Amino acid sequence: MQSSGKPRVFSGIQPDASPHLGNYLGAIRNWVRNQDRYENIFCIVDLHAITLPQDPAKLREFTLELAGVLLATGIKEDQALFVQSHVPAHAELAWIFECFTPIGWLERMTQFKDRTARHGSERIGAGVLTYPSLMAADIMLYDAKYVPVGEDQRQHLEYTRDIAQRMNQRFGNILVLPEPLIEKAGAEIKGLDDPQKKMSKSFARDNPGHAIFMLDPPDVIRKKIARAQTDAEPAVRFPAGPGVTNLLEIYRTIKDQDWPAVEREFAGKPYSVLKSAVADAVIEVLAPIQHRYRQIRSDDAALRQQLRRAAERLTPIANATLLRVQEAVGLR
Ligand code: ATP
Ligand code: MG
């Protein structure tokens, strides 16, 4: 990969389920919009996905599906879009970070606490605890300056900076400290079934009404939005409750509108009007993506080859950072 002089950005997404509207509005859409401003590294983080149990055949399919969806949203072919496990340096650097990270830092992570509370610590793998070290490795292998993340990943990014600072203090400046890029609109879309929870792939696997998937057909999208949780009011009022606010947030993010504009449009309208407007907007934004996706998936061999080539271009960059760290800690 040639250095373009633009700041480097690392973006990661897990192939643990189909991508949903929250992933699109909170992350992918901004990646596409901003791609020309940066030198981008888009990573399908399959090693992160196996921190929770995955069916092997599904993991393979979700990986290709996600690659297809990302390209279909408009990520350009010449950008580095690759699969994490194709570049072994990710796991190697993560191991080194784990050894320099106090366990307490990892035990304090909200995602770790949520997942152990949900599944119990006997039933989940240790990767759930050490996940942030792998994420730190992903970012720092490429000396990325920025990481576009949703609110949910902010704490992991703070850890990334902390471990970088710790290594830099001990060994001299060997790592670049990354910064979060958090977009205001659509920063966190909530679940349709429960607006207290963020829309999330892993949760959607067992709760079909929770998320709109980017590849859901129009009739499914309409049904899911029709069933989305609202509150007991007969019509849209401001300030609205959490369910209605989430629908309005989806709408205004898709339409690039500010709050006063949606307030003018929907104040006093029945929920049915709001829901059908939201469904129309979602279907309209996803239809062209779905169309391009079907074209891309008609040739999986080409798609696989593109992913392999990207990993080959990135490997020397990743290996150079790994070597720098290995030398610093005395492994080389
Ligand atoms: P999982 O439940 O498996 O963690 P996820 O839906 O949180 O899945 P990730 O692969 O962890 O998805 O995240 C991919 C990107 O999407 C990240 O940048 C993340 O911040 C963003 N993202 C995830 N969920 C939302 C959401 N509900 N709203 C906005 N952005 C989101
Ligand atoms: Mg997540």
Side-chain angles (χ1 to χ4, degrees), residues 50 100 108 139 145 168 194-195 213 241 245 266 268 272 283 311 323:
I50 61 165
F100 284 88
R108 279 196 286 279
I139 297 163
K145 178 95 179 74
N168 283 347
D194 179 0
F213 294 113
T245 300
F266 292 108
S272 57
I283 291 166
L323 183 62

Side-chain angles (χ1 to χ4, degrees), residues 126-177:
V128 172
L129 178 66
T130 57
Y131 181 111
S133 301
L134 181 58
M135 176 164 157
D138 298 339
I139 297 163
M140 282 185 282
L141 275 178
Y142 304 99
D143 297 331
K145 178 95 179 74
Y146 296 115
V147 186
V149 289
E151 241 350 284
D152 63 315
Q153 290 297 326
R154 192 195 274 276
Q155 198 187 19
H156 290 160
L157 203 67
E158 276 161 19
Y159 158 82
T160 297
R161 291 174 58 85
D162 290 345
I163 184 67
Q165 261 160 342
R166 195 179 171 90
M167 301 294 283
N168 283 347
Q169 265 160 20
R170 176 106 185 248
F171 300 111
N173 281 333
I174 52 171
L175 297 165
V176 173
L177 253 62

Side-chain angles (χ1 to χ4, degrees), residues 12-14 16 20 22-23 25-27 31 111 115 131 148-153 186-190 198-203:
I13 184 160
Q14 297 191 61
D16 54 350
H20 55 69
N23 299 136
L25 296 178
W31 300 354
Q111 179 173 290
R115 291 201 165 153
Y131 181 111
V149 289
E151 241 350 284
D152 63 315
Q153 290 297 326
E188 187 153 291
I189 303 297
K190 309 291 183 189
K198 83 162 195 85
M199 190 176 280
S200 115
K201 281 191 259 94
S202 48
F203 195 73

